[in-house]
Amino acid sequence: MSVPTTTDPVARARDAAARESWAEAYELLHDHDRHPERGLTADDLSVLADSAWWSGHVDESVAARLRAHAAYLAADDHRGAGLTSWWLYYEYAGLGRPAAAAGWLHRARHHLEDLPDCPEQCFLAMTAAEEASAHGDHEAALAAARRMTALALACGSPDLLALGRQAESRVLLAAGRRTEGLALLDEAMCAVSAGELSGMVTGWLYCLALTQCMEAADFPRAVEWTNAAMEWCAPPWTGRPPDGNADPGTAPDDPSAAAAPLPMTVPSGENPFRGVCRAHRVEVLDLLGAWALAEAEARQACREVPVDCLESAAAAYYAAGDVQRRQGRLEAAAVSYGHAHELGRIPQPGLALLRLAQGRADAAVAGVDLALACRSDPDHDVLGRARLLAARTEVALAVRDLPGAAKAAAELAALADADGDVPLLRALADTALGSVALAERRPGALLPLRRALAGWLELRVPYEAAQVRMLLAAACRAAGDEEAARLELGTARAVFERLGAVPDARRAAALLSGGSRRRLPGGLTAREAEVLRLVASGGTNKDIAGALVISEHTVARHLNNIFAKLGVGSRTSATAYAYAHDLV
C-alpha cells in the first residue's frame, strides 16, 4: 500500500478515500472544512459526504452532498449534479423523508435523462426497476433492470454490472422465474466474494442478497452468504469475532434483555453495514437453533444499525421475540415484539403465537388473519406469507377450527408447489398438511409428517424437526405403535432441552410419562380438567353432562370455576388454554 508523502490534507484525504480508509478521510476533510477560506471542490465535497456516511455522521453526509450538488450545478456539470441528486434521494429515503427523497429523484432525472448514455443513468434505471416491481409491472421492471446492465457493460464498471445483475435477479424472482433469478444473483455475488467491488456496493449486495434469499426461502444460500457477510464486516484491527461485542451482562431470563437501546450512530471508523448484516444473521441463527447466540447478536445488531436502516433493528427485535417465546419467556417476548412494532414491523406471526401461548385465542386468530390480509401478494416475500399460513394452521387447530386449518394448509401447499423444489417451503407445507390430517383423524397423517421431518433434518433446523416428531408420536400412538411414539417423544424432548424450549420439553416429558402424575395447570381439579377436555373437543353442556353423568347445572358450575381459575371469558379461550397446556 502506497503511503502519501504530501502534506496537503485534501490530497491526503483523497488518497485515504481511494483506499477506503473512510475515518481518516473524514477527519482530514472535516478539519479542513472548518476554515471558510479553504474551499472544497464539488468532488471533494462528495468525498466528504461519503466519508461522513461511512463514519456514521449521516446528517453531515447530507449537508456535504447538498453543497456538492450546488458546486456541480455552478460548474454546469449535469452528470455530477445528477449523481449527487440520486444519492440525496437515497439518503433522504433512508432517513424517512419521502417528500424530500421524491424531489431529489425528480432532480436526478432532470439532470440525467436527456444526456447521452452514461454510467450515472444506471442509478435511475435501478430505481425505475424498483418502482415498476413495487407496482407489479414485472415487464417494465425487467426492461429497466436490463437497461442498467447494458449501461454498466458499456462503461465497464464492475460495481454497476453487479448491481444490474442483482436488480435483474430480484425482478425475475418476483415474477416467479426462480432458476433464472438465482443464477443472476449467484453471478453478482461472485464479484462480491472475489473482492472485485467497492465497499459500498459490497455492502449493498450482501444486504440485498440476504434479504432476497430469505424472502425466496432459500435457506442454504442465506446461511452461506450470512457467514461471508459477517467475515467482511468484522473489524480487522481487533481480530475479534463478529459476536465479540455481544453484551454478556444481561441474564437470559430477564425480560429487560429485549429492551436494548434503540440504534445509535455508528462509531467513527466502523462498518455501517455490520449491524444490518448481523440482523440477517440473527434470523439464520434462530433457524439453526443457536438461540443464545441469536439473542445476543440481536441485541448487538440493534446497537450497531445506522439510523437510516431501522428496519434491520426491527427484524432483530422480532427474531429475539421468537426465541424468547419458544423458550417460554413470554413477558420478554412481548417486549421484543413491541420494540419491533415501534420500529415499523408488524410482529406477526410471532405475536399471534404468543397470544395463543397466553390463552388469548381470539387475539391470536385476529392478529394472524389481519397480517395475512395485509400481505395478500406473496411475490416479494414468499417465506413471509408461508410462515403466516403455517401459523394460521396452528392457531386454527388450537381453537378446533378444522376447516380454517385445512384451508390455510392447502394454500401453503399450493405456495410450495408454485415455487418448485424449495425445501424450506415444502417442509412448512408438509408439517401443516400432516397436522391437519392428524387433527381430522385421517390415516394419511404419517406420510406428510415423515416428509416434513426429513425436510427439516436436511435443512438442519432442529426446533421445527422436534415439533414434527411430537406430531409423529401422536400419529404413531393413534396407529397403535407405542414404541415408535416413545422414540419420537424421547428424541424431541432431548432437542427441546438442548435448545432451552422449556414448555415443549415439559410437554414431551409429560407425554412420555403418560401425564398421569403431573400437576394440573391453573389449579384445576381432576373433574374440572375432564370438563375442559370435553369443552375443547366441542361438547355442549348437555354433551358433557351426559358423558360425565352429571347435571347440566353442575357442568355450568364447573365452567364458571374453570373460567375464573384460568382468567378466561369464553369457551374458545378455554379451549386454547387446554391445547396450550397439553390437557387435550
Side-chain angles (χ1 to χ4, degrees):
M1 184 182 298
S2 62
V3 178
T5 57
T6 179
T7 59
D8 180 5
V10 175
R12 289 164 57 202
R14 292 170 186 159
D15 181 83
R19 292 182 279 111
E20 296 194 340
S21 181
W22 296 112
E24 179 185 352
Y26 170 76
E27 292 296 334
L28 289 166
L29 288 176
H30 181 72
D31 289 343
H32 184 82
D33 198 42
R34 290 177 178 176
H35 304 281
E37 71 278 5
R38 301 177 182 176
L40 291 173
T41 67
D43 288 343
D44 291 334
L45 286 167
S46 294
V47 173
L48 175 58
D50 291 342
S51 61
W53 184 87
W54 276 95
S55 301
H57 306 285
V58 179
D59 290 342
E60 290 184 46
S61 174
V62 171
R65 220 173 290 280
L66 288 169
R67 292 167 60 197
H69 176 266
Y72 282 123
L73 205 56
D76 200 30
D77 183 349
H78 284 276
R79 286 176 56 179
L83 181 59
T84 305
S85 297
W86 187 91
W87 276 110
L88 283 165
Y89 148 74
Y90 174 80
E91 290 192 283
Y92 276 124
L95 291 170
R97 297 183 57 184
W104 282 105
L105 180 59
H106 179 76
R107 278 203 175 184
R109 288 168 173 158
H110 171 74
H111 286 305
L112 296 172
E113 281 184 337
D114 294 332
L115 296 179
D117 287 353
C118 59
E120 291 80 5
Q121 292 170 346
C122 286
F123 293 95
L124 295 183
M126 183 169 67
T127 304
E130 292 171 352
E131 291 177 338
S133 188
H135 288 93
D137 190 344
H138 300 310
E139 184 176 345
L142 190 58
R146 286 178 171 166
R147 168 166 166 74
M148 179 183 182
T149 301
L151 288 168
L153 285 168
C155 70
S157 167
D159 276 358
L160 295 176
L161 181 59
L163 285 173
R165 298 293 190 214
Q166 185 279 329
E168 281 191 67
S169 75
R170 188 169 185 82
V171 175
L172 290 170
L173 287 170
R177 296 163 64 176
R178 184 183 183 89
T179 302
E180 297 171 78
L182 289 175
L184 278 173
L185 186 59
D186 287 343
E187 184 178 345
M189 293 307 291
C190 278
V192 173
S193 59
E196 298 170 358
L197 309 179
S198 68
M200 175 60 79
V201 174
T202 296
W204 265 358
L205 286 177
Y206 271 130
C207 294
L208 292 168
L210 291 172
T211 299
Q212 283 178 251
C213 288
M214 291 306 295
E215 288 179 351
D218 194 323
F219 189 54
R221 278 184 173 86
V223 173
E224 180 179 346
W225 288 339
T226 297
N227 292 335
M230 290 310 300
E231 289 180 11
W232 175 71
C233 289
W237 55 88
T238 65
R240 197 165 45 202
D243 56 325
N245 287 329
D247 178 11
T250 307
D253 57 350
D254 181 357
S256 66
L262 291 182
M264 302 297 290
T265 300
V266 177
S268 178
E270 294 189 5
N271 188 333
F273 287 105
R274 189 189 314 161
V276 179
C277 291
R278 198 186 300 277
H280 285 293
R281 187 189 187 209
V282 171
E283 190 172 8
V284 169
L285 291 171
D286 176 22
L287 282 170
L288 291 176
W291 287 355
L293 181 56
E295 189 175 356
E297 289 283 75
R299 292 198 300 273
Q300 183 63 17
C302 291
R303 296 184 181 96
E304 294 174 340
V305 166
V307 294
D308 54 348
C309 296
L310 296 187
E311 68 278 2
S312 296
Y317 277 126
Y318 177 82
D322 276 353
V323 169
Q324 292 153 350
R325 170 178 55 81
R326 287 175 298 194
Q327 289 181 329
R329 298 157 52 203
L330 304 188
E331 185 181 348
V335 173
S336 291
Y337 290 143
H339 283 318
H341 184 263
E342 288 170 10
L343 293 173
R345 178 177 179 132
I346 298 175
Q348 296 290 4
L351 184 59
L353 297 174
L354 173 64
R355 298 304 180 220
L356 188 63
Q358 293 171 328
R360 298 173 57 186
D362 293 343
V365 172
V368 76
D369 281 350
L370 182 60
L372 277 167
C374 292
R375 195 182 299 200
S376 57
D377 181 5
D379 283 351
H380 295 293
D381 190 0
V382 176
L383 182 57
R385 185 163 185 84
R387 283 172 160 167
L388 285 170
L389 290 169
R392 182 65 180 90
T393 304
E394 184 176 345
V395 170
L397 289 174
V399 299
R400 305 304 295 164
D401 176 14
L402 294 184
K407 179 182 177 182
E411 185 178 344
L412 178 52
L415 194 63
D417 292 340
D419 273 80
D421 185 20
V422 184
L424 186 54
L425 292 181
R426 178 52 55 195
L428 281 168
D430 285 336
T431 301
L433 292 170
S435 63
V436 170
L438 181 62
E440 293 176 341
R441 300 181 181 179
R442 287 191 275 114
L446 279 170
L447 181 59
L449 289 175
R450 293 204 181 280
R451 284 201 311 261
L453 178 60
W456 292 123
L457 291 175
E458 182 181 353
L459 289 166
R460 299 183 180 181
V461 177
Y463 179 76
E464 280 72 10
Q467 289 278 42
V468 172
R469 288 189 187 276
M470 298 287 284
L471 296 170
L472 275 170
C476 290
R477 275 187 171 165
D481 190 346
E482 181 64 26
E483 182 178 0
R486 294 186 68 80
L487 284 172
E488 297 292 0
L489 287 171
T491 303
R493 178 185 181 182
V495 172
F496 289 142
E497 288 176 344
R498 176 175 59 81
L499 292 173
V502 175
D504 293 293
R506 288 175 178 165
R507 183 160 58 101
L511 291 172
L512 272 170
S513 65
S516 59
R517 296 182 179 179
R518 69 186 178 105
R519 181 178 299 175
L520 293 169
L524 296 175
T525 66
R527 176 47 63 96
E528 288 166 351
E530 287 180 310
V531 171
L532 183 55
R533 290 188 188 100
L534 292 169
V535 168
S537 66
T540 64
N541 284 14
K542 183 177 181 180
D543 296 332
I544 297 168
L548 300 180
V549 196
I550 56 178
S551 69
E552 290 186 49
H553 175 75
T554 302
V555 173
R557 179 168 52 80
H558 282 313
L559 281 175
N560 285 334
N561 291 338
I562 290 167
F563 287 178
K565 288 181 178 181
L566 303 185
V568 299
S570 68
R571 298 170 84 95
T572 299
S573 297
T575 296
Y577 184 96
Y579 275 89
H581 292 81
D582 312 311
L583 292 173
V584 181

